[in-house]
Amino acid sequence: MHAMRISATQLELPAELRIQNIKTWVEEQIWGHRFYNDQTPWLMLLEFLSLCAYQAVHLGGNRVFPGTVEKKHEFISYELKTQYPLRYLLFRDRNLDECEREDFASETARLDEWIRRAKKDADVDYGYLRDVFIDFRSFASAVNLLRSAEIEQHRDRRWSSRHLAPVGPDMLMADYKPKPNGARPEHDRRFFARGGELVYLMLNRSSRRESLDGLICSRLLADQDRWNRMVNKIISPASVRSENIHATTGYLPLAHHPRYDLLAEDWHAILSLARLPSDHLIEPLMRITALNVILYIIERASEELERNPPPLPIDVISAGNASIRKLSTEHYHLHREMSREAIKHRVNAFTETDEWKQARVAVNRNKQAMDALVRAFRCRSVIDLKDTPERQVEKVIEQAIKNHDSHLGRVPGFQAQQIGLAISRTGAGRWYSFSDSLVEALVLTNVTIPMEYGEFLQRLWNRYRMVIGPAVAEQAFRELPAPREQFKANQERLEDRLRVLGLLRRLSDDCAFVENPFVNPCDPTRGTPS
Amino acid sequence: MTNNNPLVDFLRAYGPSSASDNMYDEHVVEAARRRHVEPISETPPRLKQIVTNCDSVFPETIILTGTAGDGKTYHCRKAYLELGGLSHEFAASGKIVEIKLPKSGMMLRIIKDLSELTEAEKEKELDHVARVLRGEDNDKVYLIAANDGQLLKFWRDFAYKHPSYREVEETLRAMLKDELEADPREQLPLRLINLSRQPHHELFNNLLDRVVEHKGWDACEGCEVCATCPIQINRRLLASSEDASLRGRLTNLIRLSAANDSHFPIRQLLLLIVNILLGDDDPNDPLLTCKKAAARAKNEDYRLTNPFQNVFGLNLRQNIRMQYHAFRTLDAYGIGCETNNTIDDHLIYRRPEETGRDDPVAHGCYGLSLFESRRRAYLKGENDADTFNDFRKGIETQRRRMFFALPASDEKDLDPWRLTVFQFGGDYLSFMDKVVRDPESVASLKASLILGLNRTFTGTLCDDRDMLWVASPAANGHDRLGRVLECSPLPIGGGSYERNLFVDFDNKGLNGRPCLTIKSKSPPETMAAMDLRPLLFEYLMRVSTGSLPSSFSRQCYEEVRQFRLKFVGRFREATDGRLGNLKLVLLNAQTGHLQECHLGFKDLTT
């Protein structure tokens, strides 16, 4: 593992960023403001792309990232489009189905009726659609097609928080809380909770930033994409109500971190797959981004505690592999515990400082202590002048942990489950595992030229701290924490799964290659003429 | 007076035994010598190529790879002998032997088995090999027998320590991965010969002949049980070379397995042959001796020497049987368990009377007579657990015999492949043979494959066989219903159609496997290809006859999905933004056919 050289100093908060409704500012100093458990990996990606889309327009020149200035935290003010007419059409409208079913004198009448009803329901004049589609049927097909491209359809979200899988900039929509009676919609930060902004800042600070600019623009923000063009035809730019929501970016404490670069390399790898159609890029990107965020959270906690980050043992078999499962469960909980300890540690570390030591023994020590704590952790609303300094510290920790347990503390586990990195079973607990989609995403990201299977496993350890087989287990743990045969069986099972997914080829007893089918543009044919 | 034929004792050495077979080749040679029997010897398929290379003016280094049991060391020994070496010298020389090559004057250094070398020895030798490959030593050339995996692993570590040799490692890796015999950049004087990639069904036939026609059988003359000896009966059965015979069907199974990447090394072929011949259902000793055979003949205990059971290693205990690659592979076909009503009717009710011509001898001792008492018991209604169990085992045994006895039939229900999990196995073999030589004759198979693909792509039960509809789900990708049409439907064959893109079947897959491709006429290019392994062929055929795409095989579903993605990726790259509007594909409920559906935009400018 490469040594971690982290700049110990945090960046100062940008002056323009106003903190409201925060009871303690502890976890934010470690991880940032903020990652939030209601934001699924998909929504994190969408928030990120929305910010990119805005920047692409405003920075110009095929750029998405502004770059950094030494020691200065970025502050970006941006806008998101609510896209109300599109949102209504896709996620609120009921009249389309009804009009399809009812009898009408002519197709023109059918379309006219729908337009009339829509005006009544949505207060939007869709009359321009008469010039876009040849008949009602075409219009209905187009809308149904778009509806089928919705992400996370199984979640029953409010209509203002449903989104399409984005293939172009005009398919991106703001996420907001609708207000009744035409009042201005509110960016309630519930789903676009800043996770995407932090990912954006990470990539902006990575060493690969410049290579990502062009790739993101050409592959994810292509307005000439067919889907994007279709959406454009459906929403008329002129005179239709679509307000903008304003937002500003959050806080990411460290100016540099190895994980930023690893994330950027992964993005670069996926976006460079010329043979993978663009609309198939976003799903692996969603998974790999969340994976890197999870690792960031674990790594920051470890750095705070000055320990080596515990590995992620992956139970591939999930039946009859008891020791590995147990090991994986233990580490899952360990990671969760570590972030809580990191918070305690951060507050307790403050009590080692001279500032605190002097405050503690001062004459008006309660007030001195309180001032010191408030300066460090903005925790005014939590402590009382009547509390002793020790009690004050306790209260700060209690509040920070309480907050953490409901939000950031849950993020790694939640995101892990969403991307297929973790499984939860009632009665059996939670542990790290692999879904097929995650396995595929890992291969797409990490394999260019065919890679020997052992090398692939080594790479998963080097980049993501994943432990699957015995060779890596020996590197990760001083002694094997589970029987070697179980690790071996674990490794063989993953090999089987890779093979079934078409990602692995066995040449002989000893030799298996992991292959990425979407690489190698020079050789579209498989097999050789004999 | 029963004879005691030393050939039988010798053949046992090839059979399943618990003896470790590290230097198998030498062990067998030694056994042959001890019993004064000529060893089974077959000209190794690549020997000529190796000897010609070594005999030339500029010989190249040769690396022989392949799975255990494919004769790597055997090739080395034979090559050594052909080049003038002496057998006892080869045997006595330890891990490495050298011989001077007359024509070139170079020294050929043969490493008999790379895995036998210590780490230090490997390091020294391969360092030298690297120098030879880079032209730094023109006096030596190598012949190495190695396992691909080890070779690669070793060289990777080696190249890590000696960065100047990284090129050698990369070339080797590319050659192994793409199964190339020579360096594609034509820089290294190296040949990589993978012995596991030879068509072994021919070899199987030759090996069978060697065993069945061995001179040693002459020693059976005069033995009093010669006419009824189970060994002789089995030998006669193996000699038959009709299509509906042990030899014929086994050859088919071996070909099918090879096409499915499940290769039979030579050692396993010999093991199989010997087990069929001498197999005996005796827990103490799974193979016959002359003495035991005589006893079996006298007691008419033919049910213990049934070659149709021996093919599947059923004379061995389960855990032992499953250690052998040959039996594991053949077991996977499910012969004995798969069946249909027509065939079972024949076996149980003898309906119709004469189905399939049977060798009267086989019929006599291994045929329905073995089964008769259990059949009657079943028909009488005796159905307690034990009787039924006996009946079930009995009928499975008969089904196994039927697989080898039923001739290929136009009547699908009596096709022997119905007795296996590869219902379309016979079709696959004829497809493989004729797809390029006589494409018209397999037109209906091609049409079924296209239908299978259409159903998988669109997720509908359509009936379109003449064009390929490449349909994808909407952006999210996990829907099984393919709604977006990527391009106009593709015709089969370049033919007289005006379309630039078309579907073509060729045999450019691995080992000459058939391959389904999408090609473009101009510029001429293969945009995407899908190797038609038997499993995939079976999948598509089953889907075309009504199976659901997601139920038969997950692996095949993924392969088809990847094929579509690869084509779509290449297609979009090639058309580079000149794509028109989105098009949909719908199933017309009345006609059962797919149709294109343009999203009717008024503005035709794209």
Side-chain angles (χ1 to χ4, degrees):
Chain A
M1 289 289 318
H2 40 259
M4 297 270 193
R5 279 173 288 111
I6 322 285
S7 51
T9 49
Q10 293 161 207
L11 292 172
E12 289 290 316
L13 272 125
E16 308 92 321
L17 183 64
R18 284 181 299 132
I19 317 284
Q20 295 164 320
N21 299 332
I22 302 257
K23 292 204 174 132
T24 52
W25 184 256
V26 184
E27 83 176 23
E28 293 79 357
Q29 294 184 49
I30 304 175
W31 292 285
H33 179 69
R34 69 222 213 288
F35 287 112
Y36 194 71
N37 59 310
D38 273 349
Q39 184 169 29
T40 61
W42 267 117
L43 292 173
M44 196 163 70
L45 184 70
L46 281 169
E47 188 183 15
F48 168 79
L49 283 175
S50 301
L51 178 47
C52 286
Y54 178 84
Q55 292 285 71
V57 169
H58 283 78
L59 293 176
N62 247 9
R63 280 174 59 215
V64 153
F65 296 110
T68 53
V69 174
E70 180 83 29
K71 292 213 174 94
K72 197 162 177 315
H73 192 292
E74 305 89 330
F75 182 75
I76 301 172
S77 197
Y78 65 104
E79 288 185 352
L80 301 167
K81 297 191 212 132
T82 56
Q83 297 249 47
Y84 180 71
L86 183 62
R87 268 251 155 82
Y88 171 80
L89 199 50
L90 295 176
F91 306 127
R92 293 198 86 184
D93 162 85
R94 302 267 177 274
N95 300 313
L96 201 70
D97 287 336
E98 285 173 13
C99 287
E100 260 185 302
R101 278 196 298 265
E102 293 168 23
D103 287 324
F104 286 93
S106 68
E107 290 303 306
T108 322
R110 199 187 292 268
L111 186 57
D112 285 341
E113 178 59 18
W114 182 86
I115 292 174
R116 192 188 66 77
R117 291 187 197 177
K119 177 90 171 82
K120 192 154 94 56
D121 284 343
D123 193 23
V124 172
D125 186 358
Y126 288 99
Y128 62 89
L129 289 174
R130 292 189 187 93
D131 294 324
V132 175
F133 290 102
I134 56 176
D135 59 13
F136 181 84
R137 181 141 318 171
S138 308
F139 169 55
S141 298
V143 173
N144 281 323
L145 189 63
L146 277 177
R147 284 178 181 168
S148 71
E150 183 188 351
I151 51 147
E152 299 192 310
Q153 293 181 22
H154 53 279
R155 287 184 178 259
D156 220 356
R157 287 203 183 103
R158 60 191 185 192
W159 61 269
S160 55
S161 289
R162 294 167 70 172
H163 296 268
L164 294 178
V167 195
D170 300 298
M171 295 171 81
L172 294 165
M173 299 178 258
D175 188 293
Y176 60 96
K177 180 173 175 169
K179 284 282 171 58
N181 304 328
R184 197 176 181 77
E186 183 189 313
H187 192 348
D188 63 354
R189 289 284 181 198
R190 183 162 162 213
F191 295 115
F192 273 20
R194 293 194 189 277
E197 289 171 1
L198 294 187
V199 168
Y200 179 87
L201 292 175
M202 287 185 188
L203 289 177
N204 186 47
R205 296 176 190 179
S206 74
S207 49
R208 284 269 193 168
R209 177 190 60 240
E210 276 147 25
S211 65
L212 285 179
D213 277 319
L215 281 172
I216 291 180
C217 284
S218 62
R219 302 218 71 192
L220 300 176
L221 299 175
D223 54 9
Q224 281 312 302
D225 178 272
R226 294 180 304 174
W227 286 85
N228 203 64
R229 282 204 315 260
M230 182 167 83
V231 167
N232 260 325
K233 288 201 171 100
I234 293 177
I235 49 175
S236 157
S239 76
V240 201
R241 204 184 85 202
S242 171
E243 289 169 75
N244 289 350
I245 288 186
H246 299 283
T248 55
T249 48
Y251 174 65
L252 186 67
L254 296 183
H256 299 284
H257 193 278
R259 192 44 68 180
Y260 302 169
D261 294 322
L262 288 165
L263 175 65
E265 281 164 27
D266 284 350
W267 268 74
H268 187 92
I270 296 178
L271 291 177
S272 304
L273 293 174
R275 282 303 167 83
L276 189 58
S278 295
D279 47 356
H280 284 83
L281 292 173
I282 34 182
E283 202 189 301
L285 281 173
M286 179 269 294
R287 289 180 207 274
I288 294 291
T289 305
L291 175 61
N292 279 292
V293 165
I294 293 166
L295 289 163
Y296 168 77
I297 295 176
I298 293 173
E299 283 163 4
R300 284 297 295 136
S302 312
E303 285 150 24
E304 185 67 27
L305 298 170
E306 289 177 340
R307 295 213 285 250
N308 263 334
L312 277 71
I314 310 280
D315 175 14
V316 182
I317 301 187
S318 74
N321 216 26
S323 308
I324 307 262
R325 162 97 57 95
K326 185 155 162 284
L327 186 70
S328 188
T329 311
E330 279 165 10
H331 278 76
Y332 183 94
H333 289 292
L334 183 60
H335 293 139
R336 178 101 190 247
E337 251 325 287
M338 266 176 51
S339 56
R340 296 167 106 236
E341 272 183 56
I343 289 182
K344 289 186 203 158
H345 184 272
R346 176 60 72 118
V347 179
N348 284 329
F350 181 71
T351 63
E352 302 292 318
T353 60
D354 290 334
E355 191 189 344
W356 175 258
K357 288 186 180 152
Q358 285 165 8
R360 256 186 78 233
V361 297
V363 172
N364 51 343
R365 53 171 180 270
N366 287 6
K367 173 90 171 53
Q368 290 283 349
M370 189 170 88
D371 287 344
L373 282 173
V374 168
R375 270 197 301 275
F377 302 120
R378 299 173 191 257
C379 47
R380 183 64 189 87
S381 60
V382 171
I383 44 191
D384 211 283
L385 214 47
K386 292 203 291 277
D387 299 317
T388 64
E390 287 72 27
R391 180 75 193 114
Q392 288 180 25
V393 167
E394 272 174 22
K395 274 188 165 180
V396 170
I397 291 182
E398 273 165 27
Q399 181 59 44
I401 297 275
K402 182 158 165 252
N403 197 50
H404 182 76
D405 279 347
S406 341
H407 300 302
L408 188 104
R410 295 189 186 180
V411 169
F414 174 68
Q415 295 218 343
Q417 280 179 251
Q418 294 297 304
I419 63 172
L421 180 64
I423 294 186
S424 158
R425 294 254 186 283
T426 24
R430 286 168 222 234
W431 63 91
Y432 292 114
S433 183
F434 272 164
S435 71
D436 284 343
S437 310
L438 182 61
V439 169
E440 198 172 281
L442 286 169
V443 171
L444 291 179
T445 315
N446 288 287
V447 178
T448 47
I449 46 177
M451 190 184 275
E452 212 217 316
Y453 182 51
E455 215 182 303
F456 178 67
L457 292 177
Q458 186 68 34
R459 200 176 156 94
L460 290 183
W461 162 244
N462 289 343
R463 308 194 85 228
Y464 311 110
R465 305 183 186 278
M466 293 172 173
V467 177
I468 294 153
V472 165
E474 275 171 356
Q475 296 173 49
F477 303 100
R478 260 168 292 130
E479 304 176 359
L480 280 187
R484 175 176 286 271
E485 303 76 61
Q486 288 208 16
F487 278 113
K488 192 152 180 295
N490 208 33
Q491 175 177 315
E492 284 167 4
R493 181 81 174 98
L494 180 61
E495 197 191 314
D496 262 338
R497 288 180 65 183
L498 282 166
R499 196 178 38 84
V500 168
L501 291 170
L503 302 169
L504 178 135
R505 204 143 61 97
R506 211 166 224 302
L507 285 192
S508 75
D509 293 337
D510 256 351
C511 194
F513 281 104
V514 181
E515 297 182 320
N516 180 342
F518 303 104
V519 143
N520 199 0
C522 310
D523 176 31
T525 61
R526 264 189 57 187
T528 46
S530 37
Chain B
M1 241 290 284
T2 61
N3 293 5
N4 208 21
N5 194 335
L7 177 62
V8 171
D9 280 335
F10 167 63
L11 285 175
R12 285 166 58 97
Y14 286 105
S17 76
S18 49
S20 124
D21 43 13
N22 228 350
M23 289 298 264
Y24 178 82
D25 180 57
E26 319 250 310
H27 160 69
V28 159
V29 169
E30 177 56 25
R33 194 188 60 76
R34 266 206 317 269
R35 292 190 170 78
H36 308 288
V37 172
E38 226 178 86
I40 312 272
S41 108
E42 182 48 39
T43 307
R46 301 303 221 111
L47 185 64
K48 186 148 176 277
Q49 182 185 0
I50 299 174
V51 172
T52 311
N53 170 68
C54 294
D55 235 358
S56 71
V57 182
F58 294 113
E60 295 183 317
T61 292
I62 294 183
I63 301 183
L64 293 176
T65 66
T67 41
D70 252 327
K72 299 192 284 288
T73 310
Y74 185 69
H75 273 75
C76 288
R77 180 161 66 84
K78 285 294 196 179
Y80 183 78
L81 298 177
E82 289 281 317
L83 292 168
L86 296 172
S87 188
H88 67 267
E89 282 172 8
F90 190 86
S93 55
K95 303 176 192 174
I96 301 182
V97 66
E98 284 199 343
I99 184 170
K100 196 164 168 78
L101 299 174
K103 204 164 262 176
S104 55
M106 291 167 77
M107 206 59 172
L108 175 69
R109 199 164 162 80
I110 304 180
I111 302 181
K112 297 182 198 173
D113 188 344
L114 192 64
S115 59
E116 294 281 308
L117 270 57
T118 64
E119 284 306 312
E121 287 168 339
K122 258 188 257 187
E123 173 107 25
K124 172 166 164 277
E125 289 302 326
L126 289 178
D127 175 74
H128 197 181
V129 172
R131 278 189 283 130
V132 164
L133 289 176
R134 282 151 53 103
E136 290 164 21
D137 179 349
N138 287 324
D139 292 327
K140 278 213 168 64
V141 80
Y142 273 85
L143 170 63
I144 308 173
N147 211 312
D148 347 14
Q150 295 173 335
L151 199 60
L152 211 61
K153 258 187 237 164
F154 179 82
W155 227 303
R156 185 161 54 111
D157 296 336
F158 188 74
Y160 190 69
K161 281 185 254 177
H162 307 269
S164 53
Y165 291 146
R166 191 152 290 164
E167 205 183 291
V168 172
E169 188 248 338
E170 280 172 9
T171 309
L172 194 64
R173 183 168 10 124
M175 286 169 72
L176 270 175
K177 179 229 135 201
D178 288 330
E179 317 234 359
L180 301 170
E181 282 202 5
D183 180 3
R185 296 165 313 145
E186 292 178 3
Q187 283 179 11
L188 299 181
L190 173 68
R191 298 259 148 210
L192 199 64
I193 299 182
N194 188 339
L195 295 176
S196 299
R197 290 285 177 235
Q198 314 306 316
H200 274 178
H201 55 281
E202 284 166 18
L203 188 65
F204 174 68
N205 250 295
N206 296 342
L207 284 173
L208 250 186
D209 284 337
R210 291 264 187 273
V211 170
V212 158
E213 293 165 15
H214 199 284
K215 275 200 336 253
W217 293 112
D218 291 343
C220 282
E221 231 167 286
C223 175
E224 67 177 2
V225 290
C226 201
T228 52
C229 174
I231 298 180
Q232 287 292 341
I233 293 176
N234 291 351
R235 178 178 161 227
R236 277 202 292 282
L237 282 170
L238 277 174
S240 163
S241 56
E242 299 198 2
D243 177 59
S245 68
L246 270 171
R247 181 192 293 239
R249 290 283 142 75
L250 266 176
T251 305
N252 285 345
L253 287 175
I254 290 170
R255 280 185 74 201
L256 210 60
S257 301
N260 239 350
D261 287 331
S262 194
H263 163 83
F264 278 80
I266 297 182
R267 194 179 309 173
Q268 295 290 316
L269 291 175
L270 282 169
L271 182 129
L272 186 60
I273 294 173
V274 165
N275 199 54
I276 296 174
L277 188 65
L278 302 176
D280 187 40
D281 195 357
D282 175 0
N284 294 323
D285 180 3
L287 298 175
L288 291 170
T289 56
C290 278
K291 200 160 143 217
K292 264 209 287 178
R296 299 272 180 264
K298 289 210 173 86
N299 298 334
E300 293 196 348
D301 269 337
Y302 294 110
R303 62 183 176 80
L304 297 173
T305 63
N306 191 336
F308 304 107
Q309 295 280 87
N310 295 340
V311 171
F312 301 99
L314 290 168
N315 54 319
L316 303 165
R317 274 204 306 269
Q318 163 104 5
N319 55 337
I320 297 187
R321 184 188 339 139
M322 284 302 146
Q323 285 171 22
Y324 290 101
H325 175 84
F327 299 133
R328 268 203 316 270
T329 309
L330 290 174
D331 182 70
Y333 284 95
I335 300 178
C337 303
E338 295 285 319
T339 186
N340 61 25
N341 285 335
T342 315
I343 295 177
D344 270 3
D345 273 354
H346 169 68
L347 290 173
I348 301 175
Y349 303 111
R350 304 291 174 86
R351 269 204 309 264
E353 276 295 314
E354 275 310 309
T355 303
R357 290 187 301 105
D358 254 326
D359 179 326
V361 175
H363 210 288
C365 47
Y366 298 124
L368 298 171
S369 57
L370 268 191
F371 181 48
E372 194 56 19
S373 60
R374 299 178 201 189
R375 185 181 81 94
R376 283 193 207 272
Y378 173 74
L379 290 174
K380 264 196 240 148
E382 289 172 26
N383 275 337
D384 62 86
D386 282 333
T387 322
F388 187 70
N389 221 20
D390 277 342
F391 170 76
R392 190 176 50 79
K393 288 203 207 127
I395 201 172
E396 281 173 12
T397 310
Q398 290 304 312
R399 287 180 195 139
R400 290 186 188 108
R401 181 180 64 85
M402 289 302 272
F403 174 69
F404 295 99
L406 275 177
S409 165
D410 278 335
E411 204 188 313
K412 278 301 169 187
D413 277 348
L414 282 177
D415 187 65
W417 290 96
R418 286 289 178 273
L419 288 164
T420 76
V421 293
F422 281 96
Q423 312 258 305
F424 296 95
D427 289 319
Y428 182 82
L429 290 170
S430 54
F431 189 73
M432 196 159 78
D433 285 334
K434 298 194 193 135
V435 69
V436 170
R437 277 191 301 130
D438 187 8
E440 278 310 304
S441 62
V442 289
S444 79
L445 287 175
K446 287 198 261 190
S448 296
L449 291 172
I450 299 285
L451 178 60
L453 266 184
N454 282 335
R455 288 185 172 182
T456 309
F457 281 160
T458 61
T460 63
L461 274 176
C462 62
D463 207 18
D464 298 85
R465 300 161 190 267
D466 46 4
M467 305 267 232
L468 182 65
W469 294 74
V470 184
S472 307
N476 209 0
H478 279 299
D479 212 355
R480 297 216 191 268
L481 198 67
R483 309 186 58 200
V484 177
L485 194 61
E486 295 292 342
C487 60
S488 297
L490 308 172
I492 307 182
S496 52
Y497 293 92
E498 287 310 320
R499 305 266 176 79
N500 190 30
L501 297 178
F502 60 97
V503 175
D504 189 37
F505 292 87
D506 61 31
N507 61 354
K508 298 230 174 63
L510 217 56
N511 272 346
R513 271 205 288 250
C515 214
L516 193 154
T517 66
I518 299 181
K519 296 187 165 128
S520 80
K521 263 190 268 193
S522 88
E525 184 200 333
T526 302
M527 301 190 78
M530 191 164 66
D531 251 27
L532 285 171
R533 280 178 298 115
L535 186 62
L536 185 59
F537 184 88
E538 182 78 18
Y539 171 82
L540 291 173
M541 295 300 281
R542 289 210 193 190
V543 170
S544 74
T545 53
S547 260
L548 290 180
S550 45
S551 65
F552 175 62
S553 161
R554 172 68 191 280
Q555 183 174 354
C556 293
Y557 181 75
E558 292 292 330
E559 268 180 71
V560 170
R561 188 183 140 250
Q562 270 184 22
F563 171 65
R564 172 177 61 197
L565 272 178
K566 279 196 264 201
F567 167 67
V568 169
R570 180 75 198 100
F571 178 67
R572 290 195 196 170
E573 212 187 346
T575 48
D576 194 35
R578 283 171 288 118
L579 294 169
N581 280 323
L582 280 169
K583 280 189 290 225
L584 299 183
V585 59
L586 293 171
L587 179 66
N588 182 321
Q590 266 114 25
T591 64
H593 286 287
L594 298 166
Q595 58 192 45
E596 268 185 67
C597 173
H598 289 263
L599 288 170
F601 287 104
K602 270 188 176 168
D603 175 10
L604 292 176
T605 62
T606 50

